Amino acid sequence: MTEPPAHSIWLRPERAGRGPTPTFDRDGIAAAGIALADAHGLPAVTMRAVAVALGAGPASLYRYVATRDELLELMIDQVYGEISYAELGSGHWLDDLLALAWQSRDVYLAHPWLLDATATRTPMGPHAVTYLEHALAALADLDVRPRTKLEAIAILNAVVSTLTRAEVTQRLAGQTTPQWQQAQAEYLTQVAMAGNHPHLATALTGQPPEDEDSPESLFDRVLTRVLTGLLQPDDIGATSVHGRAEAEPPAASPGSSAAS
């Protein structure tokens, strides 16, 4: 009996064992989609547009990818291949995870459409799995449960995505990070002065003046706090603070969030 085709594109061979040599391959199709997305944004990436960019008929791509979602999977994984692992192996887990975070940020900034492409899907292609393997290798000697490690990597990726999205949004608005922070502070101060938010007023009162923040310093500071807080040695038998059994760990590939 013939086996049904695999649902995941990563479980299907790129080409059948028999038949004519394919005109295109997955790498070429992904590269065409990436070029469109880099130039015109994610909405510009359609099966028809990619086929036209390749000089093919609109229906021809369906021999290689079944849906636009599969096309996006190929694109996402190809840009994750830009992540370098050369700076890893420092001997300190935090330094290695921060190095991975900076690499992820660079990829997001080079391909801003990736923020939207990964907002509703968890990347699980070969390069995403390689990222996860390196992240876990950085934590190999840390005395925390595997579940805690996976959760921390997932949250790290979610925070990287959130911070980078804010940076991209500020750039599109023509603002620097200090300008954006100043605008937010002015608004919140006005709200607090109205007297209906006493806790907010307390939080804003007596704050010492701070040096201007850059996206880089904010990125490094927040991620360091998040990671050192999450990856504390824990009791193997611990349950949640509400006494319930803990949920299964979320997927932790780049671009995934803690809720994925």
Side-chain angles (χ1 to χ4, degrees), residues 34 37-38 41-42 72 75-76 79 108 111-118:
I34 291 167
D38 286 347
L42 197 61
L72 294 182
M75 293 166 54
I76 291 167
V79 296
Y108 279 128
H111 309 283
W113 55 267
L114 185 61
L115 291 162
D116 291 330
T118 56

Side-chain angles (χ1 to χ4, degrees), residues 14-54:
E14 182 166 0
R15 58 170 295 183
R18 293 176 294 179
T21 302
T23 306
F24 306 112
D25 59 26
R26 289 177 178 174
D27 285 344
I29 292 169
I34 291 167
L36 282 170
D38 286 347
H40 306 292
L42 197 61
V45 180
T46 65
M47 299 287 276
R48 177 181 293 274
V50 172
V52 169
L54 291 169

